[in-house]
Amino acid sequence: MNDSSHPADAPRPIDALDGIGPAMAAKFHGLGIRRETDLLFHLPLRYEDRTRLTPLARVRPSTSALVAGRVVHQEVRQGRTRSLLVTLEDETGQLVLRFFRFYPSQRRQFAVGNRVLCFGEVRFGPGGFEMAHPEARSLRDGEAPRLPDHLTAVYPTTAGLGQSRLAGLIHDALDRALAGRLALPDPLSDAGLPALTEALVAIHRPRADADLDALVDGRHPAVQRLALEELVAQHVAMARLQRARDRQHAEPLSDADGMAARLVAAFPFEPTGAQRRVIAEIDADLSSERPMRRLLQGDVGSGKTLVAAAALARAIGSGRQAALVAPTEILAEQHLRTLSEWFVPLGIEPVWLAGKVQGAARRDALEKLAGGAPLAVGTHALFQAGVTFRDLRLVVVDEQHRFGVGQRLALAEKGSDGARIPHQLVMTATPIPRTLAMTAWAGLEVSVIDELPPGRKPVTTALVDARRRDEVVERIRVALAEGRQAYWVCPLVEESDLLEAEAAETTAAELERALPGTPVGLVHGRMKPADKQAVMQAFKNGRTRLLVATTVIEVGVDVPKASLMIIENAERMGLSQLHQLRGRVGRGDERAACVLMYRGPLGELARARLEVMRETTDGFRIAEKDLELRGPGEVLGTRQTGMLKYRVADLLRDADLVERVEELAGRLEAADEDRLIDRWVGDAGRFADA
Ligand code: ADP
Ligand code: MG
């Protein structure tokens, strides 16, 4: 079958691969893998060395090892839980394998006399070194195990998609690419970095002597190569949008009705000087024919919602439609409540649209929007197909970095009628060092709210070793007794959101036990949006006063009464993420505190990073410090912490690549631009440079 709208070398969608049905495809989509080629750009989290056998006498704790041996002893130990203990022996010595949960088949696999090949982490046990729950394969007598000649990559995956399945598909795709059966054009082959296929091999199948730290934290030339390509692709896509926009017009919004003034007069508080200044900047944009493309940057808690409301009021007062879009349902509903409070007294009832609005309610909402209802609030459901507006003239997007360029485009298309497009205001709390802001927000003018509303008390921050967890729990007990509310943020588990949810459940149960009589709320990424919302609402109302959460609470939640924030494994989080989390407290009248728990001992760099959090609450200073402290070390990329929507590139880490982007992009032919946009941004057709 030949679909003429696709380039000849278009990659197959993931569900065209053998054995991948719609349910499995959905799991791949969740990982950002939609097409065959996306498999190649799904980068490993870490690597394991299975290239050589470690003699049993030579294993060391806290390292993973591949070992082989004969079972010389097996027993089931009855302790608090039943465990299976197996002793392996080779010509150098012995090693104990321990299984806390086991199946009868494992007892057979490890019967005395059998030979096995095992991979796992070695640690101290009661009787010497041992390996808990190794992966194991039986060996026949005399069989020499066949070992890979490269390191084994471990990929981030998701519940129901096993590591070996995912890795198998990635390696198959790589084999096809190497054999020329999967087209992989390489328009940047002259950029002084490894060629594309070479880079992919270095990433997915590194040699045993490869610089793994560099591969994992992205400084390796192979990863840099991909990052550069991605940056170029984003740049080209943005430039095309920019050119298209220069030919477009927007409608000047004069607010003849004076609604913005009435709204500001009715606010429950005086706007700060910074809020007034930014409102004036936006007003000037909105009264022009030139479509506004403005980024509103303001630290967490700086009061961006009020500024957004003033802009929305200006559009509505001009007799036109305006919409506010947020990346998650929790956040969108929070805006719905705030805006309803402010707009309903002015006779404006917001129309609510999110994924979960279905059936009659959805039909009703769609009808209102098509009929010209003045104010829409919701998630990206607002710019899906099937939603039409009568005269949408302003779109406000909250927390922009959660949306990719593609989604931003869909949004602009939504309100365009031929040559006219809506004004756009994009709000973010992510502080980006000024040197990098240009690239991150290409084509946007920037307004900054650089003043917090009056009466904010700075959040005091303490660093506490995780071994002093009891003291932290005590601190919560005291805070709750004083009538305060607290958050407990559980660590990020990158490999699986299932493990992450389990860890949060365990923590909530533990805290419930340690603090009898305290209702504990629990919210994590695997819950349905409606359930999350109910839990957040209970916390907001004060029905639960301790909220255990995974990092899903990161964005935009406003519960003024919460004044204590505990963050576990803070050493593993990005500084800007810590800053966002900490910004959830200190919004009310109480003195607020944040406890950063870490699992020691801390390296020098990790300590310096956490010290920054203790020393300052200024988001820009934190971002700049983060940049300064980077370099070799254990810093997690901002990619993982969700700061920007890049797959490989990291604007802080790759600042020097950013400088080359413009020149490289300028040398590309249009067809190569198409290929790169298609590969990294998706759907090049929509970026047609007509
Ligand atoms: P963010 O910029 O993080 O989105 P919000 O708009 O949620 O911040 O505002 C944070 C809190 O500050 C809210 O509770 C809001 O009501 C309050 N607030 C905003 N502006 C002011 C002001 N000028 N004076 C007092 N409180 C304000
Ligand atoms: Mg906000």
Side-chain angles (χ1 to χ4, degrees), residues 269-272 275 299-306 453-454 456 558 587:
F269 29 67
E270 270 301 294
T272 61
Q275 283 169 325
D299 216 338
V300 267
S302 62
K304 292 185 291 295
T305 316
L306 182 156
R456 290 289 162 77
D558 188 32
R587 299 181 158 211

Side-chain angles (χ1 to χ4, degrees), residues 301 304-305 331 334-335 398-399 427 429 555-557 584 587:
K304 292 185 291 295
T305 316
L331 194 52
Q334 182 172 299
H335 281 311
D398 196 10
E399 303 294 349
M427 306 197 285
V555 171
V557 182
R584 304 294 130 234
R587 299 181 158 211

Side-chain angles (χ1 to χ4, degrees), residues 84-272:
L84 173 66
L85 293 179
V86 170
T87 309
L88 274 196
E89 185 177 274
D90 69 3
E91 46 297 347
T92 68
Q94 294 192 336
L95 180 69
V96 172
L97 313 179
R98 185 184 291 270
F99 299 86
F100 294 102
R101 300 172 300 273
F102 56 92
Y103 298 102
S105 59
Q106 282 171 305
R107 292 199 61 179
R108 287 193 294 278
Q109 182 177 27
F110 295 101
V112 169
N114 286 359
R115 286 184 68 224
V116 283
L117 178 68
C118 293
F119 182 85
E121 186 170 322
V122 180
R123 58 184 199 190
F124 287 108
F129 298 156
E130 56 180 49
M131 199 180 260
H133 294 270
E135 277 170 51
R137 191 165 75 70
S138 302
L139 292 173
R140 287 186 310 277
D141 267 339
E143 176 187 353
R146 274 188 45 220
L147 304 182
D149 57 0
H150 55 80
L151 298 177
T152 303
V154 180
Y155 299 94
T157 181
T158 186
L161 174 54
Q163 182 64 229
S164 59
R165 179 92 196 270
L166 175 60
L169 283 162
I170 291 173
H171 285 279
D172 288 349
L174 185 56
D175 286 336
R176 281 193 297 278
L178 294 172
R181 282 185 289 123
L182 172 58
L184 214 53
D186 189 3
L188 296 183
S189 53
D190 57 349
L193 284 162
L196 184 56
T197 44
E198 202 184 304
L200 290 170
V201 169
I203 288 168
H204 294 291
R205 297 174 186 164
R207 292 169 24 166
D209 61 354
D211 182 350
L212 291 186
D213 286 343
L215 277 172
V216 169
D217 70 26
R219 289 172 297 107
H220 192 285
V223 185
Q224 291 278 292
R225 164 57 216 258
L226 299 191
L228 181 64
E229 215 185 273
E230 182 174 29
L231 289 167
V232 169
Q234 294 276 352
H235 178 92
V236 171
M238 291 300 301
R240 288 188 177 186
L241 284 184
Q242 191 74 20
R243 285 199 294 274
R245 171 192 171 215
D246 287 344
R247 288 188 298 275
Q248 280 169 317
H249 299 281
E251 179 176 337
L253 301 172
S254 59
D255 190 11
D257 185 51
M259 177 158 307
R262 272 184 285 142
L263 183 84
V264 172
F267 276 136
F269 29 67
E270 270 301 294
T272 61

Side-chain angles (χ1 to χ4, degrees), residues 432-646:
I432 294 204
R434 279 164 235 287
T435 42
L436 300 177
M438 281 298 297
T439 314
W441 315 123
L444 299 184
E445 276 140 296
V446 179
S447 289
V448 181
I449 307 186
D450 50 7
E451 178 188 353
L452 290 181
R456 290 289 162 77
K457 314 236 177 6
V459 182
T460 5
T461 300
L463 308 184
V464 174
D465 192 312
R467 280 173 303 192
R468 287 164 51 204
R469 195 183 176 98
D470 289 352
E471 292 168 41
V472 176
V473 173
E474 190 50 36
R475 193 160 170 176
I476 295 178
R477 188 198 312 278
V478 172
L480 295 178
E482 287 171 352
R484 296 161 62 187
Q485 286 181 264
Y487 294 99
W488 183 294
V489 180
C490 296
L492 176 92
V493 181
E494 289 172 79
E495 275 168 65
S496 135
D497 53 354
L498 176 64
L499 289 180
E500 186 165 274
E502 278 176 4
E505 275 162 18
T506 312
T507 306
E510 265 171 35
L511 289 171
E512 232 155 30
R513 240 176 287 130
L515 301 163
T518 306
V520 178
L522 169 65
V523 57
H524 58 67
R526 284 175 66 88
M527 287 164 61
K528 293 204 192 74
D531 295 340
K532 273 191 228 172
Q533 183 55 38
V535 172
M536 294 304 302
Q537 198 52 41
F539 187 61
K540 209 164 168 161
N541 296 338
R543 266 183 289 131
T544 50
R545 291 197 295 122
L546 176 58
L547 181 67
V548 174
T550 52
T551 46
V552 296
I553 61 153
E554 178 192 350
V555 171
V557 182
D558 188 32
V559 182
K561 274 174 295 179
S563 60
L564 179 60
M565 162 81 52
I566 315 291
I567 304 177
E568 271 191 278
N569 279 132
E571 80 282 3
R572 282 170 43 194
M573 293 194 199
L575 287 192
S576 87
Q577 187 178 28
L578 289 175
H579 175 68
Q580 297 271 324
L581 286 170
R582 183 170 61 181
R584 304 294 130 234
V585 295
R587 299 181 158 211
D589 310 323
E590 318 255 8
R591 278 200 67 81
C594 174
V595 176
L596 301 179
M597 282 169 68
Y598 60 84
R599 196 107 28 101
L602 282 184
E604 205 173 307
L605 178 65
R607 173 161 295 278
R609 294 173 74 246
L610 292 180
E611 286 294 340
V612 172
M613 295 304 296
R614 191 159 68 178
E615 280 158 20
T616 180
T617 52
D618 176 337
F620 283 98
R621 282 215 28 221
I622 289 173
E624 265 150 23
K625 271 286 180 195
D626 203 14
L627 181 62
E628 208 179 290
L629 287 171
R630 263 156 199 278
E634 63 245 55
V635 189
L636 277 182
T638 45
R639 186 164 50 86
Q640 287 93 333
T641 58
M643 179 167 143
L644 287 166
K645 196 100 185 163
Y646 286 100

